[in-house]
Amino acid sequence: MSTILRRGFHVFPGLRHENPLGLPRTRTKPPEIPRRGGLPQRRPIPNVKKTVVVASGKGGVGKSTIAVNLALAMARGSRKKVGILDLDIFGPSIPTLMGLNHGEEPELTSNGALIPLTNHGVPCMSMGFLLPRKEGSGGGDAAIVWRGLMVQKATQQLLFDVDWRDSGGSELDALVIDMPPGTGDVPLTLGQLVNVDGAIIVSTPQDVALDDVQKGIAMFRKISVPITGMVLNQGYFIPPGSTTPFQLFGKADSFQRVADRTGIPSLAELPLVSGVSTSGDQGVPYTLWNKQDDGVAGEQWLRSMDNVAKRVWEALG
């Protein structure tokens, strides 16, 4: 099985674009994007009831961290089945954040579909699980060097060639998808092929981030993806032993203006909390972190994330 999954990552002239992950042919065929004119008919992701994307036009604003904690908060607050799909082809972060960067390769079903890896009770799938690894490595050695068509096909396979059912055959109530930065092949492929039920837009307070975020909002609206709300990450810092917030990266005024101008609800303004980074590096999302000693800021972060999860469920119906 290792050969099946890894042979697609060797770059050579004869590489077949239609099956970049090297998976066995499945019985179901994913929808195709027409080469010229027209759009494919969107459809749900197999065995998934609701699909939520976490996105931003800007990189480095904390999308992946928000995505994993949102998924855990959604599952914990509702006792429903929630999964995570990492669609960042070139820089997958979910394996590290979910403590799965040393996990085994995904197995395949009899139909050739990928079986997600599970940790903290949440099934996960990521390109990072499929990359070749050196012995004793965490899986960060290989790089994907693909052009657009290869990225589109890999995205289709991650969307439609994963079996999200649990051992009892039950499907997911919701799938949280961690999107890559920008407005390129991956979000366009998702928007054209999948019925997306909601999008969470993440930004930091700086204008340079918000400029790109507005491009991301415009892209989602152009491809008719509903936007549930915006989350401001690293909005302020509360020093230990204090209750006074300091806006290290600028005031939240610009963020609020963008939310007001676009008519998108502001779901939360998350503080800058050191434990969020520490817990993520150790593969335990902050929502589950049992060493929380971040004082008022940590409490506000957790409370805000629980509120975001609640509002997402309400929007999903």
Side-chain angles (χ1 to χ4, degrees):
M1 196 273 289
S2 175
T3 302
I4 292 174
L5 289 180
R6 290 180 174 173
R7 65 185 178 190
F9 300 101
H10 299 284
V11 179
F12 61 94
L15 190 61
R16 298 177 63 83
H17 287 183
E18 64 267 21
N19 189 19
L21 301 188
L23 297 176
R25 295 298 183 184
T26 59
R27 294 177 183 175
T28 59
K29 185 178 180 181
E32 294 290 335
I33 300 176
R35 294 295 181 92
R36 294 183 182 178
L39 289 175
Q41 185 175 1
R42 294 177 180 176
R43 72 186 201 192
I45 295 174
N47 304 306
V48 173
K49 295 178 182 178
K50 299 290 184 178
T51 300
V52 180
V53 301
V54 178
S56 173
K58 187 69 174 176
V61 297
K63 293 183 302 298
S64 299
T65 299
I66 299 298
V68 297
N69 281 281
L70 174 61
L72 267 296
M74 289 176 66
R76 184 180 63 176
S78 65
R79 298 190 180 277
K80 294 183 178 180
K81 299 181 179 67
V82 181
I84 301 173
L85 173 60
D86 186 353
L87 278 190
D88 195 337
I89 304 297
F90 297 106
S93 300
I94 296 303
T96 296
L97 294 172
M98 288 297 291
L100 289 168
N101 52 345
H102 294 285
E104 298 295 325
E105 289 181 359
E107 296 182 356
L108 302 177
T109 67
S110 58
N111 288 338
L114 290 162
I115 299 176
L117 302 184
T118 298
N119 198 14
H120 309 306
V122 174
C124 309
M125 181 50 61
S126 170
M127 179 65 82
F129 300 153
L130 310 177
L131 296 176
R133 305 176 192 177
K134 294 179 182 178
E135 186 175 353
S137 165
D141 305 291
I144 298 293
V145 187
W146 285 348
R147 295 186 184 275
L149 184 58
M150 294 279 286
V151 175
Q152 289 180 17
K153 293 297 184 178
T155 301
Q156 289 183 52
Q157 289 188 300
L158 288 172
L159 288 171
F160 296 104
D161 285 334
V162 178
D163 190 338
W164 291 103
R165 292 172 295 182
D166 63 17
S167 57
S170 299
E171 61 186 6
L172 288 181
D173 293 294
L175 179 65
V176 176
I177 301 181
D178 179 28
M179 300 295 292
T183 57
D185 292 312
V186 173
L188 288 175
T189 301
L190 174 78
Q192 289 179 328
L193 299 182
V194 176
N195 289 329
V196 178
D197 298 288
I200 305 299
I201 306 297
V202 181
S203 182
T204 48
Q206 303 95 323
D207 286 342
V208 68
L210 287 163
D211 286 345
D212 286 344
V213 163
Q214 292 178 82
K215 295 182 179 69
I217 292 171
M219 176 203 66
F220 278 128
R221 287 183 163 167
K222 190 170 185 178
I223 59 179
S224 301
V225 170
I227 301 175
T228 303
M230 296 177 62
V231 172
L232 179 63
N233 196 25
Q234 302 176 2
Y236 57 93
F237 173 69
I238 300 178
S242 173
T243 59
T244 302
F246 293 87
Q247 294 170 318
L248 299 180
F249 303 120
K251 295 182 179 180
D253 297 356
S254 295
F255 172 83
Q256 194 58 55
R257 280 195 295 270
V258 171
D260 293 341
R261 185 168 59 251
T262 57
I264 299 173
S266 174
L267 301 181
E269 295 184 12
L270 299 174
L272 176 64
V273 177
S274 62
V276 174
S277 175
T278 302
S279 63
D281 287 344
Q282 296 188 27
V284 182
Y286 194 66
T287 304
L288 302 178
W289 189 239
N290 60 4
K291 301 177 183 178
Q292 292 160 0
D293 54 359
D294 296 298
V296 174
E299 294 173 2
Q300 292 182 3
W301 199 100
L302 291 169
R303 188 163 54 248
S304 296
M305 184 56 62
D306 285 341
N307 184 58
V308 173
K310 179 180 177 181
R311 295 183 67 176
V312 169
W313 278 124
E314 290 173 350
L316 294 177

